[in-house]
Amino acid sequence: MHRTHNCGELRKENIGEKVTLCGWTQLKRDKGGMIWIDLRDRYGITQLAVEQKNTPAQLIEIIDKIGREYVIKVLGEVIERYSKNDKIPTGDIEIKIEDITILSKSETPPFTIIDNTDGGDELRMKYRYLDIRRNPVKNALMLRHKVAQEVRKFLDEQDFIEVETPCLIKSTPEGARDFVVPSRMNSGEFYALPQSPQTFKQLLMIAGMDRYFQIVKCFRDEDLRADRQPEFTQIDCEMSFVEQKDILDLFEKLIKKLFKTILNIEIDYNFPQMPYDEAMEKYGNDKPDIRFGMTISDLGENLKGKNFVVFDSAEYIGGIVLPSGSEYSRKQIDELTNFVRTPQIGAKGLVYCKYNTDGTFKSSVDKFYSQADWAVIADKMQAQKGDLILILAGEKELTLHGLSELRLKLANQLGLRPKDKFAPLWVVEFPLLEYDAESQRYHAKHHPFTAPFDEDIELFNTDPGKIRAKAYDLVINGIEIGGGSIRIFDKELQELMFKNLGFSKEEAEAQFGFLMNAFKFGAPPHGGIAFGFDRLVSLFGGSDSIRDYIAFPKNNAGRDVMIESPSEISQNQLNELGLALKETKKTL
Amino acid sequence: MHRTHNCGELRKENIGEKVTLCGWTQLKRDKGGMIWIDLRDRYGITQLAVEQKNTPAQLIEIIDKIGREYVIKVLGEVIERYSKNDKIPTGDIEIKIEDITILSKSETPPFTIIDNTDGGDELRMKYRYLDIRRNPVKNALMLRHKVAQEVRKFLDEQDFIEVETPCLIKSTPEGARDFVVPSRMNSGEFYALPQSPQTFKQLLMIAGMDRYFQIVKCFRDEDLRADRQPEFTQIDCEMSFVEQKDILDLFEKLIKKLFKTILNIEIDYNFPQMPYDEAMEKYGNDKPDIRFGMTISDLGENLKGKNFVVFDSAEYIGGIVLPSGSEYSRKQIDELTNFVRTPQIGAKGLVYCKYNTDGTFKSSVDKFYSQADWAVIADKMQAQKGDLILILAGEKELTLHGLSELRLKLANQLGLRPKDKFAPLWVVEFPLLEYDAESQRYHAKHHPFTAPFDEDIELFNTDPGKIRAKAYDLVINGIEIGGGSIRIFDKELQELMFKNLGFSKEEAEAQFGFLMNAFKFGAPPHGGIAFGFDRLVSLFGGSDSIRDYIAFPKNNAGRDVMIESPSEISQNQLNELGLALKETKKTL
């Protein structure tokens, strides 16, 4: 070992010891007669001290050369510090330097290696190996490690077996886009990278593995949104001989254990369970943030029939209450109106009603509604004097979405979404099928193997859209952390499902043949869940961005700007793969 | 839960309890009046019993329908077994069936789900989900899980952080072939799948992570040999501020701990360390199996100069002693001769000398050598009366290889390589460079970042082939389990290395630019090791084949015969990727 101790472990008790430390030069201060160096490694910072007059010139010469981020090795004695620093665990001591070696020089880094760096996003990504030296990123990666360890420990204790499923699998024509991998040995043929190990984990249940998990990379060649990565990590789980309740119970325990061990937060209640329909009606959203109220009220029966054409012609009218908002200025309300009119939300306008502190109402549609009308509405919405009622109307789904966005925006403004408060929630009773107007057929809301409620199976003949699925999502603070379902394990039911999804027997066979084939040999009842690991860790870390929790993330164009990938490959490689590039590059 | 207990946990203590079990029907025996069913799940087998005369006809009807591998659910009482079975933990009890439900039917499986199955390799792979139901495969996967857990636990305790490095990286022109992944978002460009996270782990050291590990999938698009897989798993590790000794010490501890926790084998001695040169001279092999002796003797000075042209003209003459082999028949020796003449070995012939029990010598070249000559040789080789001396001659490297193969073959015949005896060994002092006659230049034996011995650096100017590397392999029972090196962290030394490998500055920049760039900002001394996880687990499992320890392996043509991958993709997918297949498929 080049060192006897790391930079985070020396304490008062070590005073008098001769030690050797290695690390990076965080800071060098020359205060006339004394030089101090902050030496940094993963474990912490230790202060080095040199009294110039008592130090050989040769040593001073070396110290003079040392710049920021130089890697050095020092030999010295642990001494008590004159002015202690209670902000760091090593703050009681410093090292009186007796010898020093420069192990590695450093050019001036493109940004400063401090918690609040001056580096912009792209620069930090290009020099990610310097960015990771910073505490926020280093700690994020260490948190990620710790969460993974705890997950594995818990699941191991619960008899889960981690099984590695293959990365080089088969492309399926359905769903989001696969990354494909040309095979050199089988020219003209391709592997695909898995979007999830779904079929493999079901095969493992048929294989009798009983309880499977895997912390596993998945891949999706989608157009990237702000917080999507082409490769991401899942905690993927599947169990046999269980019902929905068993899965929710067990994984609720896991999440509680993680809150306890990672954040020291004790959650001593059962996570609430909310049916999908209720989430949509009350929150306009299938992943509601329930840290705060401000739920949506359906105001159709209150507001229709009063000759206000906009409302009378609307499929749906809904509103939320902004506490203490009656004093909102014209400008503030205009700002909200502009917000709901943005293309992402697409509302035509915003109706408001101030519930003044004197008990009167002042709305933007006073022509159509009386004080008495508003009193009834205020009562229904449990609005208080001094509140502001905000109302959207239009196509139902769109309007609920708008109200949801408005609700979240206002809660953010009001500080109702603190990062250190957590509100877990199971959303359950998802619809099994979703009607797609464009293709004029039903799609599986979760995936085609999700089991319907037993008592809803007869609805396949009458009203398939009403069938509830044995599917569930774990939502924390408005973020979907995981989701899963009980699977169909009965061949006939599966065939009925495929029929309803518009698959011919041949198409079902072509796409899911090997899984269907496996079902012929004794499939157990089974179900599972998958958690977005990147997202779970960033939630624990108190960040909105998963990127900080990935060691080497890609940017929004799917590029790794550090290694400059993707990149062109040689003609030779293309030839070996039996491939040619099309002459005209596709414009994106 | 569909069950109250699994099929492996009921004991005498449970007698009298009402239980519900689920599982697969392993066996049904109808013995006139009594029906027994062996019910199987991951945890074990429990016997179910039905007395026909006391059972409702309806229940008997269901039981009659149950075939092999049906999934059933039974309710019944735990009763003491009349004839106990001490071969299984549940052998004291059986379940008196009160109710039974068929959860899933099964067609007749294509092979029997028993330990010694009648299924051939390809059939087992095609129906891998049935193969995994068999104990040998199921246990192999469970062993794999256990080893992974223990590795993670140990490394976590040693302050290692598991960091996930990316799967979608950049293709490098050097080395074995990369799998590439066309990017849809960046048309005409490709990612590559990592052959190892080598550069990323070095970047993590520069990033100050200090101790990194990862159990990680790697990919190599090589022509597959018997025991290679296009995707395989490594335990990948790297440490900062360490020297070779530190790495060997720490990972020797890991291996010892695995032997203890997995196999309950205590290894209470330091693993021997053998320089590469010694391994080659004594074993003809850089991964010697040291469970047995039969080392190679260099007989050049004994056998040359006696007018035997074959020996006189040979670059090298070497021999091994086969204990108690002097009674070998003509036919047995012919068989050995044929073996060394096979193309894989390529020797011209085999010379032998029987050291008879009466103390005389009888060789195949008695014309040239006297009894006294042989006595000297026998003494040198420590041969005993009754032994057989076997000699090969020719080009040195080839001859040593032949002797090595002969030694292993004979040891196999003699039962000197038992699967339950383990002999770990560090092979050290590898040459840094290897001369390649074809390209007329040196190649890196390990990889271009491996550090040379400090005292050998001056040999760059005089005899580069003689430079020893700070590289090491862990060999157990003749199998290379892991390998690694201390890395160069000095820019100038790295440049000297590239120069010796025939890289121009520009080529080095193009290939390793981003790593070289990172070295400019303060690189710590570092080194690491990677273990072949599939191989390590199969060693612990006592198998020669890694395939049994991979849930869904590919065959020798790189195909997954279960999911039929790789496969063709649609023209639409190709278009989106901006790719075209070459019209004439490459013949392989």
Side-chain angles (χ1 to χ4, degrees):
Chain A
M1 290 291 253
H2 287 275
R3 66 189 174 204
T4 58
H5 295 77
N6 65 48
C7 294
E9 62 178 314
L10 291 170
R11 299 285 183 278
K12 253 187 180 159
E13 294 74 53
N14 302 98
I15 287 169
E17 285 177 31
K18 276 270 160 70
V19 298
T20 307
L21 298 186
C22 292
W24 284 262
T25 308
Q26 173 87 17
L27 197 68
K28 196 172 77 176
R29 281 158 302 159
D30 193 332
K31 295 230 167 146
M34 283 296 292
I35 304 170
W36 283 287
I37 294 173
D38 280 355
L39 190 66
R40 187 198 69 234
D41 65 12
R42 191 186 98 195
Y43 310 91
I45 284 181
T46 299
Q47 183 165 286
L48 315 176
V50 182
E51 200 176 359
Q52 282 187 290
K53 66 174 181 197
N54 293 327
T55 304
Q58 208 183 343
L59 212 55
I60 298 291
E61 215 169 280
I62 295 173
I63 292 170
D64 279 346
K65 282 189 199 141
I66 294 171
R68 265 208 289 150
E69 298 305 317
Y70 273 48
V71 183
I72 60 174
K73 174 176 176 172
V74 289
L75 172 77
E77 190 186 327
V78 183
I79 59 171
E80 185 156 13
R81 207 149 136 177
Y82 181 70
S83 68
K84 303 206 167 40
N85 178 354
D86 59 10
K87 289 198 197 81
I88 55 172
T90 62
D92 286 344
I93 57 97
E94 61 187 12
I95 311 297
K96 194 181 158 202
I97 297 180
E98 292 169 20
D99 195 15
I100 198 161
T101 314
I102 295 174
L103 294 173
S104 252
K105 294 176 198 171
S106 175
E107 294 183 7
T108 305
F111 51 86
T112 49
I113 313 292
I114 53 173
D115 291 7
N116 290 307
T117 182
D118 51 351
D121 252 23
E122 280 288 301
L123 201 61
R124 285 175 47 210
M125 291 302 140
K126 186 167 161 59
Y127 297 92
R128 185 63 163 176
Y129 46 87
L130 299 179
D131 199 27
I132 295 172
R133 288 186 193 167
R134 296 171 52 241
N135 283 321
V137 185
K138 180 193 78 178
N139 292 339
L141 297 181
M142 290 178 67
L143 176 73
R144 186 181 178 103
H145 164 71
K146 193 174 173 197
V147 177
Q149 282 284 115
E150 292 294 338
V151 168
R152 287 196 163 96
K153 204 176 135 201
F154 175 88
L155 292 174
D156 179 62
E157 283 164 6
Q158 301 285 334
D159 276 336
F160 283 77
I161 302 293
E162 186 161 25
V163 180
E164 290 175 58
T165 54
C167 253
L168 297 171
I169 63 164
K170 188 178 180 162
S171 189
T172 53
E174 273 277 315
R177 291 186 178 94
D178 290 328
F179 281 109
V180 296
V181 182
S183 166
R184 186 177 54 84
M185 304 246 302
N186 305 276
S187 192
E189 297 190 328
F190 295 76
Y191 303 100
L193 301 180
Q195 295 181 33
S196 91
Q198 183 63 34
T199 44
F200 287 96
K201 69 177 177 173
Q202 293 197 245
L203 288 173
L204 285 170
M205 293 304 103
I206 294 168
M209 282 309 283
D210 205 74
R211 294 186 166 201
Y212 143 90
F213 85 103
Q214 192 181 188
I215 300 183
V216 60
K217 277 275 175 73
C218 300
F219 305 87
R220 216 167 281 173
D221 188 12
E222 282 179 318
D223 299 322
L224 299 170
R225 295 197 307 240
D227 212 20
R228 284 268 176 109
Q229 289 281 322
E231 52 179 307
F232 56 98
T233 304
Q234 281 191 354
I235 308 171
D236 192 48
C237 308
E238 196 82 4
M239 302 170 78
S240 288
F241 302 115
V242 289
E243 289 159 302
Q244 175 166 323
K245 183 187 178 313
D246 306 312
I247 294 185
L248 301 197
D249 281 355
L250 194 141
F251 288 96
E252 189 166 315
K253 262 190 217 146
L254 167 63
I255 297 295
K256 283 179 179 174
K257 196 194 156 195
L258 293 178
F259 270 108
K260 179 68 191 159
T261 52
I262 304 297
L263 296 177
N264 198 27
I265 291 177
E266 194 92 50
I267 302 181
D268 56 3
Y269 56 86
N270 293 336
F271 295 179
Q273 296 185 13
M274 187 184 291
Y276 171 85
D277 282 347
E278 183 185 335
M280 293 308 290
E281 293 286 340
K282 280 200 188 162
Y283 298 90
N285 197 318
D286 63 359
K287 38 178 197 281
D289 186 343
I290 58 168
R291 278 176 295 183
F292 61 98
M294 294 173 67
T295 52
I296 298 167
S297 298
D298 181 347
L299 302 175
E301 62 181 31
N302 303 88
L303 292 169
K304 286 197 174 201
K306 306 276 175 151
N307 299 320
F308 181 35
V309 178
V310 174
F311 281 179
D312 284 352
S313 65
E315 183 192 357
Y316 173 85
I317 311 165
I320 58 173
V321 174
L322 173 62
S324 309
S326 71
E327 304 285 323
Y328 258 43
S329 66
R330 172 97 240 157
K331 199 180 148 207
Q332 282 174 300
I333 290 175
D334 281 352
E335 199 230 309
L336 296 180
T337 308
N338 289 337
F339 173 72
V340 301
R341 278 179 174 155
T342 52
Q344 307 90 288
I345 295 182
K348 296 216 176 67
L350 177 71
V351 168
Y352 70 85
C353 175
K354 293 179 173 179
Y355 189 177
N356 296 313
T357 47
D358 63 5
T360 62
F361 296 94
K362 173 78 194 99
S363 84
S364 52
V365 287
D366 276 349
K367 218 178 348 174
F368 305 103
Y369 302 96
S370 68
Q371 293 285 313
D373 291 337
W374 287 118
V376 172
I377 291 169
D379 187 49
K380 179 179 189 175
M381 297 179 85
Q382 298 184 298
Q384 311 292 321
K385 284 175 195 167
D387 290 352
L388 177 66
I389 296 170
L390 297 165
I391 298 167
L392 294 182
E395 194 270 315
K396 182 169 180 181
E397 205 176 314
L398 204 82
T399 305
L400 282 168
H401 171 68
L403 286 163
S404 170
E405 292 295 312
L406 186 60
R407 175 179 174 269
L408 294 171
K409 180 191 170 67
L410 292 168
N412 282 336
Q413 284 179 1
L414 294 168
L416 297 176
R417 308 183 74 193
K419 287 195 192 312
D420 56 353
K421 187 182 164 189
F422 297 92
L425 169 74
W426 289 111
V427 178
V428 294
E429 298 184 26
F430 279 86
L432 183 71
L433 303 166
E434 232 172 6
Y435 193 75
D436 179 53
E438 198 184 316
S439 58
Q440 298 206 337
R441 63 180 183 87
Y442 283 104
H443 289 264
K445 173 105 183 160
H446 193 68
H447 62 57
F449 308 109
T450 298
F453 271 46
D454 301 337
E455 59 267 40
D456 290 358
I457 290 179
E458 55 190 25
L459 293 172
F460 270 117
N461 301 315
T462 54
D463 194 354
K466 279 267 182 331
I467 302 172
R468 289 164 299 169
K470 293 178 182 170
Y472 32 81
D473 276 358
L474 178 65
V475 174
I476 304 180
N477 295 2
I479 300 161
E480 185 195 322
I481 292 298
S485 67
I486 297 294
R487 327 296 182 188
I488 297 170
F489 70 100
D490 177 78
K491 248 172 43 116
E492 279 81 46
L493 183 56
Q494 188 65 63
E495 277 165 18
L496 185 63
M497 182 74 177
F498 282 139
K499 210 182 103 195
N500 271 273
L501 295 174
F503 285 94
S504 70
K505 263 202 163 155
E506 293 67 33
E507 286 167 335
E509 172 63 30
Q511 272 191 50
F512 306 109
F514 70 92
L515 185 58
M516 289 303 93
N517 209 32
F519 272 82
K520 291 180 193 158
F521 296 100
H526 63 289
I529 194 165
F531 297 94
F533 186 58
D534 308 297
R535 205 164 292 283
L536 180 69
V537 178
S538 69
L539 177 85
F540 282 129
S543 169
D544 291 329
S545 165
I546 61 170
R547 227 192 268 181
D548 295 341
Y549 295 80
I550 296 172
F552 300 101
K554 292 182 178 58
N555 72 9
N556 287 348
R559 296 198 69 86
D560 183 328
V561 294
M562 180 185 73
I563 62 173
E564 286 168 28
S565 167
S567 60
E568 289 178 8
I569 59 174
S570 67
Q571 192 54 48
N572 190 27
Q573 270 175 297
L574 285 170
N575 291 343
E576 282 203 330
L577 295 168
L579 290 179
L581 298 183
K582 297 224 168 156
E583 274 166 44
T584 48
K585 287 199 181 181
K586 200 177 51 142
T587 40
L588 288 163
Chain B
M1 288 292 253
H2 288 275
R3 65 189 174 203
T4 58
H5 295 78
N6 65 46
C7 293
E9 62 178 314
L10 292 171
R11 299 285 184 276
K12 252 188 182 159
E13 294 73 53
N14 303 97
I15 287 170
E17 286 177 30
K18 276 269 159 71
V19 298
T20 307
L21 298 187
C22 293
W24 285 260
T25 307
Q26 172 87 21
L27 197 68
K28 195 172 79 176
R29 280 159 301 159
D30 193 333
K31 295 231 166 142
M34 284 295 292
I35 304 170
W36 283 287
I37 294 174
D38 280 354
L39 190 67
R40 187 197 68 233
D41 68 10
R42 191 187 100 196
Y43 310 91
I45 284 182
T46 299
Q47 183 166 287
L48 315 176
V50 182
E51 200 176 356
Q52 282 186 287
K53 65 174 181 197
N54 294 326
T55 305
Q58 209 183 344
L59 213 57
I60 296 292
E61 216 170 279
I62 296 174
I63 291 171
D64 278 346
K65 281 190 199 139
I66 295 172
R68 268 208 288 149
E69 300 303 319
Y70 273 47
V71 182
I72 59 174
K73 175 176 175 169
V74 289
L75 171 77
E77 188 186 327
V78 184
I79 58 172
E80 184 156 12
R81 207 152 137 175
Y82 180 70
S83 67
K84 303 207 168 37
N85 178 351
D86 58 10
K87 290 197 196 81
I88 57 172
T90 62
D92 286 343
I93 58 96
E94 60 187 13
I95 311 297
K96 195 180 159 205
I97 298 181
E98 291 168 22
D99 195 15
I100 197 159
T101 314
I102 295 174
L103 295 173
S104 249
K105 295 176 198 172
S106 175
E107 295 183 7
T108 306
F111 51 86
T112 48
I113 313 292
I114 52 173
D115 290 6
N116 289 308
T117 182
D118 50 354
D121 252 23
E122 280 287 302
L123 199 62
R124 284 176 47 211
M125 290 303 138
K126 187 166 162 53
Y127 296 92
R128 185 63 163 177
Y129 46 87
L130 298 180
D131 200 27
I132 294 173
R133 290 187 192 165
R134 297 171 50 241
N135 283 321
V137 184
K138 179 194 79 178
N139 291 339
L141 297 181
M142 290 177 65
L143 176 73
R144 186 181 179 104
H145 163 71
K146 192 173 174 198
V147 177
Q149 283 283 117
E150 291 295 339
V151 167
R152 286 197 165 94
K153 203 174 137 204
F154 176 89
L155 291 174
D156 179 63
E157 282 164 4
Q158 301 286 335
D159 277 334
F160 283 77
I161 302 293
E162 185 161 25
V163 180
E164 290 175 57
T165 54
C167 252
L168 297 172
I169 63 164
K170 188 178 182 163
S171 189
T172 54
E174 270 280 310
R177 290 184 180 95
D178 289 330
F179 281 108
V180 296
V181 182
S183 166
R184 186 177 54 86
M185 304 245 304
N186 304 276
S187 191
E189 297 190 328
F190 295 75
Y191 302 100
L193 301 180
Q195 296 181 32
S196 91
Q198 182 64 34
T199 42
F200 287 95
K201 69 177 178 174
Q202 293 197 246
L203 288 173
L204 285 169
M205 293 304 103
I206 294 168
M209 282 309 282
D210 204 75
R211 295 184 165 201
Y212 144 90
F213 85 102
Q214 190 181 190
I215 300 185
V216 60
K217 275 276 174 73
C218 300
F219 304 87
R220 215 166 281 171
D221 188 12
E222 281 178 320
D223 299 320
L224 299 169
R225 295 195 308 238
D227 212 20
R228 284 268 175 108
Q229 289 281 321
E231 52 179 308
F232 55 98
T233 304
Q234 281 191 354
I235 306 171
D236 192 47
C237 308
E238 197 81 4
M239 302 170 77
S240 287
F241 302 116
V242 290
E243 288 159 304
Q244 175 165 323
K245 182 183 179 313
D246 306 311
I247 294 185
L248 300 198
D249 282 354
L250 194 143
F251 288 96
E252 190 166 314
K253 261 190 218 149
L254 167 64
I255 297 296
K256 283 179 179 173
K257 195 195 155 192
L258 293 179
F259 270 108
K260 179 68 190 158
T261 51
I262 304 296
L263 297 175
N264 199 24
I265 291 176
E266 193 91 52
I267 301 181
D268 56 2
Y269 56 86
N270 294 337
F271 295 179
Q273 296 186 13
M274 187 185 290
Y276 171 86
D277 283 348
E278 185 185 333
M280 293 307 289
E281 293 286 340
K282 279 200 188 161
Y283 298 90
N285 198 318
D286 64 359
K287 39 178 195 285
D289 185 345
I290 58 168
R291 279 177 295 183
F292 61 97
M294 294 175 66
T295 52
I296 299 167
S297 298
D298 181 347
L299 301 176
E301 62 181 33
N302 304 87
L303 292 169
K304 286 199 173 198
K306 305 278 173 147
N307 297 321
F308 180 38
V309 178
V310 174
F311 281 178
D312 284 353
S313 64
E315 183 191 355
Y316 174 83
I317 311 168
I320 58 174
V321 173
L322 173 62
S324 310
S326 70
E327 304 284 321
Y328 258 43
S329 66
R330 173 95 240 163
K331 197 177 148 210
Q332 283 173 301
I333 290 175
D334 280 353
E335 199 231 312
L336 296 180
T337 308
N338 289 338
F339 172 73
V340 300
R341 278 179 175 156
T342 53
Q344 309 90 289
I345 296 184
K348 296 217 176 67
L350 178 72
V351 167
Y352 70 85
C353 175
K354 294 178 172 180
Y355 189 178
N356 295 314
T357 46
D358 64 4
T360 61
F361 295 93
K362 174 76 193 103
S363 84
S364 54
V365 287
D366 275 350
K367 215 173 358 166
F368 304 105
Y369 301 98
S370 67
Q371 293 284 315
D373 290 337
W374 287 117
V376 172
I377 289 168
D379 188 50
K380 179 177 188 173
M381 298 179 84
Q382 298 185 296
Q384 310 292 320
K385 284 174 195 168
D387 289 351
L388 176 67
I389 297 169
L390 296 166
I391 298 167
L392 293 182
E395 192 270 315
K396 183 169 179 179
E397 204 175 314
L398 204 83
T399 305
L400 282 169
H401 170 69
L403 286 164
S404 170
E405 291 296 312
L406 187 61
R407 176 178 173 268
L408 293 172
K409 179 191 170 70
L410 292 169
N412 282 336
Q413 284 179 1
L414 293 171
L416 297 176
R417 309 184 73 193
K419 286 194 191 313
D420 57 354
K421 189 181 163 191
F422 297 93
L425 168 74
W426 290 109
V427 177
V428 295
E429 296 183 28
F430 279 84
L432 183 71
L433 304 167
E434 233 173 4
Y435 194 74
D436 177 54
E438 200 185 315
S439 58
Q440 299 207 336
R441 64 180 183 85
Y442 282 104
H443 289 264
K445 173 107 184 159
H446 193 68
H447 62 58
F449 308 109
T450 297
F453 270 46
D454 301 337
E455 59 268 40
D456 290 359
I457 290 178
E458 57 190 23
L459 293 172
F460 270 117
N461 301 315
T462 53
D463 195 353
K466 280 266 179 337
I467 301 172
R468 289 164 300 169
K470 293 177 182 171
Y472 32 81
D473 276 357
L474 177 66
V475 174
I476 305 181
N477 295 1
I479 300 161
E480 186 195 322
I481 292 296
S485 67
I486 297 294
R487 328 296 181 187
I488 298 171
F489 70 101
D490 178 78
K491 249 174 39 117
E492 278 82 47
L493 183 56
Q494 188 64 62
E495 277 165 19
L496 185 63
M497 183 74 177
F498 282 139
K499 211 182 102 194
N500 272 271
L501 295 174
F503 285 94
S504 72
K505 264 205 163 154
E506 292 68 31
E507 286 167 334
E509 174 63 29
Q511 273 191 47
F512 307 108
F514 71 91
L515 185 58
M516 290 301 93
N517 209 32
F519 271 84
K520 290 179 193 158
F521 296 99
H526 62 289
I529 193 164
F531 298 93
F533 186 57
D534 308 298
R535 205 164 292 283
L536 180 68
V537 178
S538 68
L539 178 85
F540 282 130
S543 169
D544 292 329
S545 166
I546 61 170
R547 229 193 266 181
D548 297 340
Y549 295 81
I550 296 172
F552 300 100
K554 293 184 176 55
N555 72 9
N556 287 348
R559 297 197 70 85
D560 183 327
V561 294
M562 181 184 73
I563 61 173
E564 286 168 27
S565 168
S567 59
E568 289 177 9
I569 60 173
S570 68
Q571 192 55 48
N572 190 26
Q573 269 176 299
L574 286 170
N575 291 345
E576 282 204 330
L577 295 168
L579 290 179
L581 298 184
K582 298 227 166 154
E583 276 165 41
T584 46
K585 286 200 180 180
K586 199 178 52 144
T587 40
L588 288 164

